[in-house]
Amino acid sequence: MSILAIGSVAFDNITTPAGRAENVLGGSATYFSLAASYFTKVRVVAVVGDDFGAEHDHVLKKRGVDTLGIERAAGKTFRWGGQYLENLNEAKTDFTELNVFEKFQPHIPAEYRDSQFLFLGNIHPALQAAVRLELSDVKLTGGDTMNFWIQGANQELRETLRLVNILLINDGEAKMLANERNLPRAANKVLAMGPQALVIKHGEYGATIFFREGAFGFGSHAFRAPALPIDEVKDPTGAGDSFAGGFMGYIASQEEVNREVIKRALFYGGVMGSFTVERFGTERLQSLTRGEIDARFQVFRELTHLE
Ligand code: AMP
């Protein structure tokens, strides 16, 4: 099974209580692909500028990620700057420079058209929708977005939400999107916009999935997984996308998509997010082993197990 991911490939400037990093490789598609690469084959559709070198491409290729769909355009790669000085769970954006994304028209290579899983990473919702509409064989579409697009491209985002099966956003974004401060009520409002399931990420407190009535088989309406307590949080950037990578990657590696698989996927998402925050940028995600991932999944299981 393979997942096609669209999203940003970026250079980030990050400030956290543990220090500062400049021009580090990041972006929603980058974190997602690296995390998902431990579970399944990943293909990326994105655009980069002339400042994106072979060494950056190599970071993805080394993990077996197919980068054929990353277009090179004249100009600068997407850039984002953010800080976590007041709150480690939510970035405060310093700047967003779309650069080559401003004129980007996604082109899906013929080799990618048989993709059965699709992840619409954080990027302009019109680009997300364009990619979904071009792929007819897709079995399950996951999606992400953020305040920048909820406020800046709300109408386009509403259209995109109708094309997404599972939306993954954080609690602040869910409340903003629904214009509702109570979490379950916000979740119901977002589910009414289209997705069959909504994963709400609570940063260091874990994640909750809300299912639309009857979606993915019957059962409980919501399920929550805690986050693994981590002693050393250096840089939360990319935790959300890595969560999505572990979540979607695990789902794509299973024969059937049902509620039990989705619940386990929530734990694998948490595991991948927990690795990412231990180092700046994508460093930790570049050299994991499946053994380390499964060992942490086991710790996670024990943390929550009740006889
Ligand atoms: P997260 O997983 O939410 O921490 O995502 C972090 C990544 O999102 C960073 O590497 C940024 O480059 C990227 N990013 C930030 N803002 C945007 C945006 N408006 N559109 C797309 N990607 C973004």
Side-chain angles (χ1 to χ4, degrees), residues 8 10 12 26-28 31 78 80 84 96 122-123 146 148-149 236-242:
S8 54
D12 293 339
S28 54
Y31 283 104
F78 178 96
W80 176 79
Y84 302 84
T96 302
N122 189 17
I123 200 61
M146 72 182 287
F148 189 81
W149 307 114
T237 312
D241 301 307
S242 309

Side-chain angles (χ1 to χ4, degrees), residues 95-129:
F95 64 86
T96 302
E97 288 175 22
L98 294 178
N99 298 330
V100 290
F101 265 106
E102 232 155 322
K103 294 210 173 95
F104 178 54
Q105 295 288 339
H107 170 76
I108 302 168
E111 295 88 330
Y112 287 11
R113 291 196 175 267
D114 60 352
S115 304
Q116 289 189 313
F117 293 84
L118 173 65
F119 182 67
L120 305 173
N122 189 17
I123 200 61
H124 197 295
L127 296 179
Q128 296 180 313

Side-chain angles (χ1 to χ4, degrees), residues 289-307:
T289 62
R290 190 54 202 258
E292 284 177 294
I293 293 169
D294 287 333
R296 200 169 271 197
F297 180 82
Q298 208 41 44
V299 172
F300 212 166
R301 254 195 156 149
E302 283 159 24
L303 179 79
T304 54
H305 187 77
L306 192 65
E307 284 303 340

Side-chain angles (χ1 to χ4, degrees), residues 86-99:
E86 278 150 39
N87 182 358
L88 270 178
N89 289 322
E90 217 165 315
K92 185 174 161 298
T93 294
D94 291 326
F95 64 86
T96 302
E97 288 175 22
L98 294 178
N99 298 330

